[in-house]
């Protein structure tokens, strides 16, 4: 509600799943003429592909209007790394872990256990691949191949975004596609991030890029901090 120009700061923390409030905040930021820069603090292991991609899309839209940067603290992996690709510059701490570029689907097969305790599951469905994977059904090769193809398609979407945003060569793409994690030093060498530094460095970059006053207000926009800001 301030009439003064300011730099906004928001947080992306924990598992990324149903981040509707964060996306709403980002949409509001995109419409606010007084916000002259945006810093997003990331400390997350990732989460769902869709929620991460939605945050990426919202950040990319803002980055076309004002300077934006991300500062990764302890962790910025998987979907959190995907989200960070929406900003202009990515900063990481010396001890940050990032990477883990890929998609995972986890399940369990309980059929042997059910047999041991004398329970026979009855599953009635419209098609052979409906509700796959199902812990109450055996996962044969056909179903396993089907799931691998789905995960592979999502993986390609993820890697394509990384390739476009970070301008990576084939050798680097093969390395990061394995899903391994990287230290900030390794990530910098692979061009997955732009700088190793701290939150102040990420803010300074925004001020310089936007030709902003060094004393410009920094306002935390997260709902949990709204009372403090008031």
């Amino acid at each position: 509600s301030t009439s003064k120009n300011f730099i906004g700061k928001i947080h992306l923390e924990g598992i990324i799943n149903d981040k509707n409030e964060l996306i709403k905040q980002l949409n509001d930021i995109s419409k606010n003429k007084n916000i002259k820069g945006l810093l997003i603090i990331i400390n997350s292991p990732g989460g769902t592909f869709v929620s991460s991609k939605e945050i990426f899309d919202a950040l990319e839209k803002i980055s076309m209007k004002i300077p934006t940067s991300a500062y990764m603290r302890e962790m910025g992996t998987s979907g959190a790394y995907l989200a960070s690709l929406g900003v202009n510059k990515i900063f990481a701490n010396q001890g940050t872990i990032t990477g883990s570029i890929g998609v995972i689907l986890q399940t369990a097969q309980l059929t042997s256990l059910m047999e041991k305790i004398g329970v026979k599951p009855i599953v009635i469905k419209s098609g052979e691949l409906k509700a796959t994977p199902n812990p109450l059904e055996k996962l044969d090769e056909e179903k396993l191949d089907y799931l691998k193809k789905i995960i592979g398609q999502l993986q390609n979407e993820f890697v394509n975004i990384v390739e476009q945003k970070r301008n990576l060569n084939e050798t680097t793409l093969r390395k990061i596609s394995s899903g391994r994690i990287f230290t900030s030093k390794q990530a910098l060498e692979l061009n997955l991030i732009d700088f190793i530094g701290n939150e102040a460095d990420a803010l300074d970059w925004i001020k310089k890029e936007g030709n902003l006053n060094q004393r410009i207000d920094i306002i935390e926009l997260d709902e949990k901090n709204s009372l403090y800001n008031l």
Side-chain angles (χ1 to χ4, degrees), residues 1-2 6 27-36 66:
S1 61
T2 179
F6 66 96
N27 289 334
D28 290 341
I29 289 169
S30 182
K31 300 172 186 175
N32 192 316
K33 295 180 180 179
N34 294 111
I35 298 180
K36 300 304 178 182
I66 58 175

Side-chain angles (χ1 to χ4, degrees), residues 104-211:
I104 184 172
L105 185 152
Q106 293 176 309
T107 185
Q109 186 170 299
L110 305 179
T111 52
S112 297
L113 175 62
M114 304 294 275
E115 290 173 1
K116 286 183 179 180
I117 61 176
V119 176
K120 185 176 181 180
I122 299 174
V123 180
I124 301 172
K125 55 185 181 179
S126 58
E128 185 61 29
L129 297 176
K130 177 68 177 175
T132 298
N134 183 350
L136 304 182
E137 294 181 301
K138 289 185 178 179
L139 195 62
D140 57 28
E141 286 299 319
E142 180 187 0
K143 293 176 182 176
L144 190 60
D145 288 342
Y146 161 73
L147 292 174
K148 285 181 177 179
K149 288 178 181 178
I150 296 295
I151 297 301
Q153 289 174 1
L154 293 176
Q155 165 76 348
N156 289 338
E157 294 286 341
F158 194 161
V159 172
N160 286 340
I161 294 172
V162 179
E163 180 184 13
Q164 293 169 12
K165 299 298 291 188
R166 303 304 305 179
N167 192 27
L168 304 181
N169 58 42
E170 286 296 327
T171 302
T172 303
L173 281 174
R174 283 195 298 270
K175 190 170 186 177
I176 67 169
S177 296
S178 65
R180 70 184 73 184
I181 58 174
F182 303 101
T183 65
S184 53
K185 183 179 179 181
Q186 291 171 325
L188 184 62
E189 292 172 350
L190 293 169
N191 196 38
L192 295 179
I193 63 173
D194 297 291
F195 303 101
I196 295 176
N198 53 36
E199 182 176 330
D201 296 324
L203 278 170
D204 284 342
W205 182 87
I206 291 174
K207 293 175 184 178
K208 291 176 183 177
E209 183 69 14
N211 195 26

Side-chain angles (χ1 to χ4, degrees), residues 39-103:
L39 170 65
I40 180 167
I41 308 295
I42 296 176
N43 195 5
S44 167
T48 69
F49 180 84
V50 172
S51 292
S52 303
K53 179 62 165 54
E54 286 178 338
I55 297 171
F56 162 81
D57 290 336
L59 286 171
E60 189 175 46
K61 182 179 179 181
I62 295 170
S63 300
M64 296 177 183
K65 301 178 180 180
I66 58 175
T68 61
S69 65
Y71 171 59
M72 295 179 180
R73 301 195 66 201
E74 282 82 5
M75 183 175 292
T77 55
S78 193
Y81 179 72
L82 171 59
S84 75
L85 294 171
V87 304
N88 299 131
K89 296 293 178 183
I90 302 174
F91 290 74
N93 191 276
Q94 195 76 38
T96 301
I97 294 297
T98 187
S100 189
I101 294 166
V103 182

